[in-house]
């Protein structure tokens, strides 16, 4: 029942929202800004994140048998724009932002965007067999190894100028390491290794897992700490000049609770991405079980809204939620995470949690007028923000969640 | 007087030893095995270390006005062999060993050898203006960033198979990090940055300095600790399958004092290489002064043989020498180190120490029959080993020492 609900919705509402309007036939790539009614919002921007995530979405859908042959065509269309318009022939790597015509408007090299380049281009090759995706994914991997690694304390820097020189401290971001980028590098290296089979990619995947587990996750609670200094001491969470989503900062660019802040959806996403990495890399699940269980149980015990359904935005590492609103991507990641948590623990409360989120998504979060999700809702499920898509809200989270939840529900006979 | 002694000896005895016999006219590259009398010892080997160090020697001599125009020709001759015979077109990087004809006999990729490839090829471009040296130095730098870095704990792995996959644990060396390689990477990145002027090379130089100071040097004594596990805990000093010099291990391949063992010559070399890196990279000398002083004073107080002259092989971090013999390369490095220590501290005892080593070299270590140095002598100065050159004893240490001591004595008006 939940499975067929997902399949019907994804095939008949969610994917059709995109196939009807995202392809930019005149200028290449994808249009990714749509208002409440699904009309083109007109923003003259194409972002590396939105273009790569779109390529991932259509590639993954094609590989998993969702959406039909047009998914392959859309993925090809997206890769063409990435390689022809967003690739920097001079310095290597992808520009951060172009206008709709594909003229670069921000040539900075951003780690977050490059993790999605690796992820999407690898998925594209896995889905279509076209080797060009993996070829460029490996180029990006090599560039990150050369420019982004801190060879002293380990881990990856994230914010670079056009020529890959490291940005300065503070808001430009050159003195901080983040949970976000390391988690997405794990995600990217997993799919890169799946596509390449190269031992180097598996080794770097193993290393980034160790960083996440032993440096980035809170040792007691298993929750993710957002930002660190070079030496892995916890840094106050600030807003960077280059952003990719969240914007609920106080004036001055620092969070009210700048050091005790964790996202349930992010922790659940970390958990399932780690389980997937362990499976693809054939690593030792039991080594990481305690960390996985901490993260999943924290999300279960503090993040689920048992009254209104869904998952809260964020809260304290040791206590309860501090922001009770409901954001689109945390719902998506929580669905997959709770199913994997059940697979890991056989604790049926995770199925109950899944259902709380599933119902919230299908009863509240889907804007039935368009088929896409509202970006941010009140705790009770009233829309706060109303756009259907922009650079930082594209279909990567919810399409992936629908596909993987569908498959995992099937595996679990739910 | 000491200056002219050096100049006369280097121009009339030391460099002529090499120009007379090292060039392999028929098969390219350099012959680097000579017996006590300077006769070709016949070993059918050309090692990456000996070939690259030779290129460094002749390039440096040419840049510093020693040895005349033939130095340039010899450097070019050496680079030709490196690029035509030792470069691995399939996997990138240089083979570890070939026979005299240039046929690879060990295709492993070894970090130590690649640090010398970067060093010598950069010096070659600085000396001659030929860009091919820097081009390949950068290729090697990129390969090390891609394959050799431990992105979790920081630092560089050193032992790789032909295809750059990391070797296994123990004697193959894949589970250990060493002082040696990190010190020689500092040396290499300094000259690479001098040649390229690229901020990336300066950044990686800064990082490897931090590794050396805060992870590899003993925090109290400032002495170098030879081997570490991945997480920078001190590892017992073992003998690797791939060696590049020392061979005074007990049966079973572990040193008698496997965790309390430091080389005075190596520490003095570290000190002057660091001072050179600080100068080229325009880093902050005062930040590192305490570390430099610890290393130099330890060598001064425990390593100098005030009775017979010269510097002992090695000893304890906190106490005195345990091996009183006199090996060629420690003498060479101590000369430069003591002059730089005097420059740093203005403590005249370093000049006294310099003189102790200088006299030992000129009165005992030089084999006057050939012009080259004995490899290993008793404390009193009787030859123990008698070969003039092999893979692990080439002219890099003593020619460099003569050139730099000559220049530093001049700067100090000594």
């Amino acid at each position: 029942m939940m499975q067929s609900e997902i399949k019907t919705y994804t095939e008949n509402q969610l994917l059709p929202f995109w196939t009807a309007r995202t392809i930019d036939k005149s200028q290449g790539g994808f249009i990714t800004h749509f208002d409440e009614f699904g009309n083109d919002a007109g923003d003259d921007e194409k972002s590396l994140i939105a273009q790569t995530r779109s390529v991932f979405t259509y590639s993954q859908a094609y590989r998993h048998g969702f959406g039909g042959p047009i998914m392959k065509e859309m993925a090809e269309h997206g890769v063409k724009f990435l390689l022809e318009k967003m690739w920097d022939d001079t310095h290597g790597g992808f520009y951060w932002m172009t206008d709709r015509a594909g003229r670069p408007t921000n040539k900075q090299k951003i780690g977050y965007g490059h993790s999605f380049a690796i992820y999407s281009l690898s998925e594209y090759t896995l889905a279509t067999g076209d080797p060009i995706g993996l070829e460029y994914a490996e180029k990006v991997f090599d560039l990150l190894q050369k420019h982004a690694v801190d060879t002293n304390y380990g881990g990856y820097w994230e914010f670079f100028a056009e020529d890959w020189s490291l940005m300065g401290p503070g808001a430009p971001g050159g003195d901080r390491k983040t949970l976000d980028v390391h988690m997405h590098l794990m995600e990217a290296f997993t799919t890169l290794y799946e596509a390449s089979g190269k031992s180097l990619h598996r080794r770097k995947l193993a290393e980034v897992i160790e960083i996440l587990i032993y440096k980035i996750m809170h040792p007691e609670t298993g929750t993710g700490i957002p930002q660190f200094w070079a030496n892995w001491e916890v840094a106050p969470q600030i807003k960077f000049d280059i952003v990719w989503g969240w914007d609920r900062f106080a004036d001055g660019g620092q969070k009210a609770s700048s050091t005790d802040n964790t996202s349930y959806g992010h922790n659940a996403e970390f958990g399932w991405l780690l389980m997937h990495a362990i499976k693809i890399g054939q690593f030792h699940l039991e080594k990481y079980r305690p960390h996985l269980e901490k993260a999943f149980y924290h999300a279960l015990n503090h993040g689920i809204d048992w009254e209104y359904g869904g998952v809260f935005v964020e809260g304290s590492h040791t206590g309860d939620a501090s922001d009770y609103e409901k954001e689109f991507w945390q719902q998506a990641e929580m669905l997959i995470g709770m199913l994997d948590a059940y697979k890991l623990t056989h604790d049926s409360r995770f199925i109950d949690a899944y259902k709380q989120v599933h119902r919230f998504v299908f009863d509240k979060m889907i804007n039935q007028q368009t088929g896409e999700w509202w970006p941010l809702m009140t705790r009770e499920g009233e829309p706060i923000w109303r756009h259907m898509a922009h650079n930082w809200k594209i279909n990567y989270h919810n399409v992936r969640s629908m596909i993987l939840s569908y498959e995992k529900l099937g595996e679990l006979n739910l």
Side-chain angles (χ1 to χ4, degrees), chain A:
Chain A
M1 157 59 193
M2 290 189 295
Q3 242 203 334
S4 62
E5 189 175 22
I6 290 172
K7 181 81 173 170
T8 305
Y9 159 69
T10 306
E11 295 283 9
N12 298 341
Q13 289 181 268
L14 180 57
L15 289 174
F17 174 90
W18 293 97
T19 49
R21 47 173 67 77
T22 193
I23 302 171
D24 186 340
K25 286 179 184 150
S26 60
Q27 302 191 98
F30 302 109
I31 295 167
T32 60
H33 295 77
F34 300 103
D35 69 13
E36 173 178 357
F37 308 102
N39 297 319
D40 183 347
D43 305 53
D44 190 20
E45 283 190 341
K46 283 176 179 158
S47 75
L48 180 56
I49 294 295
Q51 299 299 312
T52 53
R53 285 178 166 182
S54 295
V55 166
F56 176 84
T57 295
Y58 310 124
S59 298
Q60 192 203 27
Y62 186 69
R63 180 148 78 116
H64 290 254
F66 277 72
I70 194 176
M71 293 291 112
K72 179 165 182 260
E73 290 166 35
M74 289 170 77
E76 287 165 349
H77 175 83
V79 168
K80 190 168 188 297
F81 183 83
L82 279 176
L83 302 192
E84 289 180 4
K85 300 292 188 181
M86 299 200 89
W87 182 258
D88 181 341
D89 278 321
T90 306
H91 301 101
F94 290 101
Y95 302 128
W96 177 242
M97 192 74 73
T98 71
D99 63 14
R100 284 202 183 184
R103 288 178 296 239
T105 54
N106 183 332
K107 295 184 174 181
Q108 272 191 263
K109 304 301 182 298
I110 308 299
Y112 193 85
H114 285 84
S115 74
F116 280 99
I118 293 172
Y119 187 50
S120 66
L121 290 164
S122 300
E123 183 73 22
Y124 170 76
T125 291
L126 285 164
T128 66
D130 179 355
I132 195 80
L134 180 58
E135 183 188 329
Y136 275 80
E138 292 203 49
K139 282 186 194 195
V140 173
F141 173 86
D142 292 358
L143 284 162
L144 289 180
Q145 298 307 316
K146 178 173 172 177
H147 295 285
V149 173
D150 176 355
T151 63
N152 179 22
Y153 290 112
Y156 294 80
W157 298 112
E158 307 171 15
F159 295 97
F160 302 89
E162 176 182 352
D163 67 356
W164 287 96
S165 58
L166 188 61
M167 297 299 286
D175 62 349
R176 273 173 166 82
K177 297 169 182 171
T178 74
L179 162 60
D180 248 332
V181 157
H182 290 84
M183 190 182 85
H184 289 296
L185 287 175
M186 174 175 77
E187 176 186 42
F189 293 174
T190 300
T191 303
L192 175 64
Y193 174 60
E194 189 180 1
S196 79
K198 290 189 178 176
S199 68
L200 176 65
H201 298 151
R202 182 176 182 273
R203 176 151 59 94
K204 297 296 157 183
L205 172 59
E207 290 170 3
V208 82
I209 290 172
E210 292 282 300
I211 291 169
L212 283 159
I213 293 288
Y214 296 108
K215 297 191 172 96
I216 290 181
M217 305 313 286
H218 191 294
E220 322 248 293
T221 59
T223 46
I225 299 169
Q227 296 180 13
F228 298 84
W229 301 114
N231 66 358
W232 298 105
E233 284 176 27
V234 176
Q237 194 181 357
I238 59 164
K239 187 174 177 178
F240 297 119
D241 291 340
I242 298 277
V243 297
W244 50 77
W246 29 287
D247 56 3
R248 284 192 297 290
F249 277 89
D251 288 341
Q254 185 156 317
K255 283 224 171 185
S257 175
S258 69
T259 54
D260 183 19
N261 203 47
T262 191
S263 158
Y264 310 108
H266 213 274
N267 295 331
E269 184 180 9
F270 166 74
W272 81 256
L273 286 173
L274 176 55
M275 284 180 66
H276 183 58
I278 289 167
K279 182 181 167 191
I280 298 296
Q282 295 185 285
F283 301 119
H284 192 50
L285 178 65
E286 293 309 315
K287 176 180 177 185
Y288 299 115
R289 177 183 288 276
H291 307 279
L292 286 163
E293 290 188 349
K294 277 183 199 166
F296 284 137
Y297 275 108
H298 186 278
L300 174 75
N301 292 330
H302 302 289
I304 296 290
D305 186 344
W306 298 100
E307 190 172 350
Y308 294 95
V311 55
F312 302 124
V313 166
E314 62 192 12
S316 148
H317 292 281
T318 52
D320 280 337
S322 55
D323 181 341
Y324 293 89
E325 293 173 354
K326 310 285 167 64
E327 198 169 356
F328 71 104
W329 65 267
Q330 289 100 331
Q331 315 306 316
E333 298 308 327
M334 203 70 169
L335 290 175
I336 312 172
M338 293 298 96
L339 292 178
D340 265 12
Y342 175 72
K343 197 167 159 185
L344 184 75
T345 63
H346 304 290
D347 183 337
S348 63
R349 284 182 293 163
F350 288 114
I351 298 301
D352 299 336
Y354 172 84
K355 289 177 181 167
Q356 283 295 103
V357 183
H358 181 101
R359 286 268 49 90
F360 185 85
V361 165
F362 280 84
D363 298 342
K364 305 279 189 180
M365 200 122 223
I366 294 168
N367 174 0
Q368 297 296 341
Q369 301 299 311
T370 64
E372 246 297 337
W373 297 16
W374 296 110
L376 183 69
M377 313 193 86
T378 64
R379 181 178 178 186
E380 295 79 7
E382 290 299 316
I384 299 171
W385 298 341
R386 305 186 75 90
H387 57 274
M388 288 292 97
H390 66 38
N391 280 338
W392 322 131
K393 180 186 182 287
I394 187 73
N395 46 31
Y396 143 81
H397 284 290
N398 56 5
V399 173
R400 183 173 73 172
S401 178
M402 294 295 96
I403 292 172
L404 296 185
S405 294
Y406 174 84
E407 291 184 354
K408 286 173 197 290
L409 286 168
E411 287 167 28
L412 297 168
N413 293 313
L414 288 169

